[in-house]
């Protein structure tokens, strides 16, 4: 079974394809970072690099991707904050997978 980060990256790749771009899971995985402040999530996707690919503002991309994750299992909360898409797993769940 895939780990949660891989599942999230696959969802990002689906978003890319829907926007007419190609992205591998490895490319998507390279975009993520772990926030220094845990109040900003357990995993973050800065959308600056994606803005070049999708020719859109990073804050619009983060908000649009967040909508595509509605009902996504395994994530307690997904929050678009400006150009960042923050993922919260709750109670340290999946943190070892990151």
């Amino acid at each position: 079974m895939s780990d949660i980060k891989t599942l999230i990256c696959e969802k990002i790749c689906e978003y890319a394809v829907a926007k007419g771009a190609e992205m591998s899971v490895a490319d998507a995985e390279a975009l993520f970072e772990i926030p220094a402040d845990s109040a900003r999530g357990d995993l973050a996707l800065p959308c600056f690099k994606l803005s070049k690919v999708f020719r859109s503002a990073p804050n619009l991309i983060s908000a649009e991707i967040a909508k595509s994750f509605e009902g996504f299992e395994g994530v307690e909360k997904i929050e678009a904050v400006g150009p960042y898409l923050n993922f919260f797993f709750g109670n340290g769940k999946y943190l070892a997978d990151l």
Side-chain angles (χ1 to χ4, degrees):
M1 182 172 164
S2 298
D3 65 24
I4 191 69
K5 189 173 181 182
T6 301
L7 294 174
I8 290 170
C9 289
E10 288 171 353
K11 187 79 171 166
I12 298 296
C13 292
E14 289 174 17
Y15 172 82
V17 168
K19 288 296 191 177
E22 289 188 35
M23 181 180 294
S24 70
V25 171
D27 290 340
E29 191 169 320
L31 297 171
F32 282 89
E33 59 185 41
I34 296 178
D37 181 359
S38 63
R40 295 186 180 184
D42 298 308
L43 187 64
L45 174 65
C47 294
F48 302 105
K49 291 181 181 176
L50 293 176
S51 69
K52 294 175 186 174
V53 175
F54 302 128
R55 301 185 190 277
S56 184
N59 59 318
L60 297 176
I61 294 169
S62 68
E64 197 171 88
I65 293 174
K67 289 178 188 174
S68 74
F69 274 94
E70 289 177 4
F72 189 80
E73 286 191 42
V75 180
E76 181 178 281
K77 179 171 77 167
I78 298 170
E79 194 173 68
V81 180
Y84 290 89
L85 186 59
N86 300 321
F87 295 83
F88 297 82
F89 301 116
N91 298 326
K93 189 176 183 180
Y94 301 117
L95 293 181
D97 291 341
L98 304 178

